[in-house]
Amino acid sequence: MPSAGHAALLAEVVELRARSEQLGRALATRAVIDQARGMVMVLAPCSSERAWDLLVCVSQNCNIKLRDVATALVATTENETLPEPIQRELRRALRRLHAADRG
């Protein structure tokens, strides 16, 4: 029969594994968002902060999670088609960005 100390240690190991997996997912998500941000910076061209704001705007206006918008944008580098709602909103956001720069 396991002792209370053994049970507590086992619970801590389970919690640490869960945290480790969560951190791994967060790092992977961050990498794809940073790649998409770089793509926007080249497309626009604009600063990193403006690229972030543009991606957030697209995400909110499409009601699609930021990591999913970023994943879809990065997938276009491998001949994937950008989903129409994201494509449409990205065009709008880029036009607004260019208009703000001219204004």
Side-chain angles (χ1 to χ4, degrees), residues 23-44:
L23 185 56
R25 284 191 302 273
L27 287 172
T29 296
R30 180 63 187 213
V32 77
I33 291 171
D34 285 345
Q35 286 177 305
R37 187 186 235 179
M39 291 173 71
V40 170
M41 290 169 67
V42 169
L43 286 170

Side-chain angles (χ1 to χ4, degrees), residues 1-16:
M1 180 167 192
S3 67
H6 181 75
L9 184 58
L10 185 58
E12 186 175 348
V13 168
V14 168
E15 182 181 339
L16 287 172

Side-chain angles (χ1 to χ4, degrees), residues 32-75:
V32 77
I33 291 171
D34 285 345
Q35 286 177 305
R37 187 186 235 179
M39 291 173 71
V40 170
M41 290 169 67
V42 169
L43 286 170
C46 63
S47 70
S48 179
E49 294 77 21
R50 290 185 87 179
W52 173 265
D53 292 343
L54 186 142
L55 287 170
V56 168
C57 182
V58 169
S59 168
Q60 290 174 342
N61 289 338
C62 290
N63 196 27
I64 299 172
K65 290 183 180 191
L66 179 59
R67 71 172 177 260
D68 295 336
V69 169
T71 299
L73 187 57
V74 170

